[in-house]
Every structure is written in C-alpha cells, then in structure tokens.
Amino acid sequence: MSSQPAITRFDQPDTPGRIDHPRPDRLEQGDPRRETWTLYESADGLMTSGIWACEVGRWRIVFPASKEEYFFVLEGYVRLHDQAGQAVDVLAGQGAVIPGGFEGAFEVISPVRKHFVVVDRSA
C-alpha cells in the first residue's frame, strides 16, 4: 500500500514564525521585522512555501539565476525596484513573480502579509 502525499493548507499558524531582519549591508530604509512561517518543503528541497509578514522598510535583493519566487499579497503593499529604476507595485489581492537573476530592492510601503512559493534549483 502506497502513501498518498498530504495536501497542505495555508492557515495562519497559532505559533510564532521565524523572526529576522534584512542584512545590515543591504538595508536602505528602516530595519523591518520580518516573520516567516514555512508551511511546506518539498522532499527534494527545491521548493518551499508559506506565509511571510513584514513591517515597513526597504532593502536590496539579489536572486541567483537558480532561484525564483511567486508571491500573493494578502494584505499590505510592496514595491519592487529594478536596477534600471523601474518599479512594480503589488497590492493586496495581487500576485507577482521575482525571476531568477533579479537584482534590485524590495520595499514594504505598508505592513504586508503574503503567501510565498520559492523554487531554488541549486538546493
């Protein structure tokens, strides 16, 4: 008898998530508290997903070519800045993909909570 993989729901956990802050060398504005609840990790380690919340602030991000992220904003407002000076706003009820190789800045305009799915083929 084979085991059926379980479906993972993205309910808000009752326990605190993992707390961190942007690295000081990447910080551009504020020192936002970030909280991550990893709700699912694939057996091969290539995909992680969960819920992420963050205070207002801005920091530089650098995605290696092997890493991509899809996210859906549940509440709040974020702005992604690319190196050419273009910006993309993502509001509650909207989703976006940060492609592999992206370099720029992640800015939280108003406190955000989002679902995320990260695929990292280097894992």
Side-chain angles (χ1 to χ4, degrees):
M1 183 170 145
S2 67
S3 174
Q4 174 77 15
I7 300 297
T8 301
R9 285 183 23 169
F10 277 43
D11 297 335
Q12 181 62 47
D14 295 333
T15 58
R18 182 180 53 82
I19 306 295
D20 74 350
H21 294 265
R23 290 179 11 195
D25 62 319
R26 294 205 175 170
L27 204 51
E28 294 183 348
Q29 271 182 327
D31 187 21
R33 176 183 185 271
R34 306 184 298 194
E35 190 166 8
T36 304
W37 295 267
T38 299
L39 302 177
Y40 176 82
E41 292 182 83
S42 63
D44 59 10
L46 296 177
M47 186 183 91
T48 59
S49 56
I51 300 170
W52 185 81
C54 186
E55 300 171 337
V56 172
R58 178 176 161 153
W59 59 96
R60 290 186 309 284
I61 59 172
V62 178
F63 271 48
S66 62
K67 181 179 176 180
E68 301 171 286
E69 178 182 350
Y70 164 77
F71 66 90
F72 185 84
V73 176
L74 301 167
E75 56 188 63
Y77 174 10
V78 300
R79 179 175 289 148
L80 290 143
H81 303 265
D82 68 19
Q83 289 187 311
Q86 301 295 315
V88 173
D89 293 341
V90 187
L91 307 166
Q94 298 178 322
V97 170
I98 302 172
F102 180 85
E103 294 186 34
F106 194 97
E107 182 177 12
V108 177
I109 305 292
S110 67
V112 70
R113 181 175 303 275
K114 68 178 187 170
H115 287 163
F116 69 88
V117 177
V118 174
V119 175
D120 188 346
R121 288 178 287 291
S122 70

